[in-house]
Amino acid sequence: MDEVAKKKPYLIQTQIDAIRAELEAIQGSPSEYIRLLKMIDHYVHVNEAADEKYNLLFQSLTNFDRLTETEPGLDVAILNTLPLLSGICLFDLFVLVGVIGIDEMAKGHDAYLNAFQRNKGTPQA
């Protein structure tokens, strides 16, 4: 019987730790996020783990960046939504490569729901 080739992880734990440390140090500058993306991309390629899913998601992020640089005449409504879209893509990339785990997503979701219920939920009689 042929053995199914096991998929290489996109990142190993030491790389994830390095990316998380960089992520915590980011002050919100777009150039810092671009540097972080380059770091992730470098690690994924060094690990020879890039696949179609990774490449498409990474390309989406770089396309958002290129769009804002090359199209200064874009409608303001479009320019206002690009940070949201790129943020979602960045989050998805973090999940895909393992920087953010499913367990962390669940904790974040629970914390959000608890805060919502505490601050804005239905008033109790």
Side-chain angles (χ1 to χ4, degrees):
M1 224 180 214
D2 292 331
E3 288 185 37
V4 176
K6 190 168 184 174
K7 170 82 175 92
K8 290 182 180 184
Y10 292 104
L11 302 172
I12 59 174
Q13 191 58 51
T14 55
Q15 294 166 334
I16 291 171
D17 294 342
I19 291 166
R20 285 183 179 188
E22 290 290 323
L23 186 58
E24 288 177 17
I26 285 180
Q27 300 296 314
S29 164
S31 64
E32 292 176 296
Y33 283 103
I34 291 168
R35 184 176 47 80
L36 185 63
L37 280 175
K38 288 179 180 179
M39 183 179 181
I40 291 171
D41 193 50
H42 171 75
Y43 286 153
V44 169
H45 282 92
V46 164
N47 297 342
E48 298 178 347
D51 59 12
E52 186 176 8
K53 288 184 291 190
Y54 170 81
N55 288 331
L56 288 171
L57 194 51
F58 187 81
Q59 189 62 43
S60 295
L61 277 165
T62 55
N63 284 340
F64 285 130
D65 186 48
R66 283 190 6 229
L67 183 61
T68 57
E69 287 178 356
T70 60
E71 294 295 332
L74 279 176
D75 187 274
V76 173
I78 295 171
L79 288 173
N80 287 339
T81 60
L82 287 177
L84 175 63
L85 294 173
S86 61
I88 291 169
C89 268
L90 182 61
F91 179 80
D92 289 346
L93 184 74
F94 288 162
V95 171
L96 179 69
V97 300
V99 171
I100 298 174
I102 299 299
D103 55 332
E104 291 168 301
M105 288 175 52
K107 286 178 191 174
H109 181 262
D110 290 345
Y112 172 78
L113 286 179
N114 289 338
F116 178 78
Q117 290 170 344
R118 186 174 50 252
N119 297 324
K120 299 178 185 164
T122 307
Q124 300 296 316

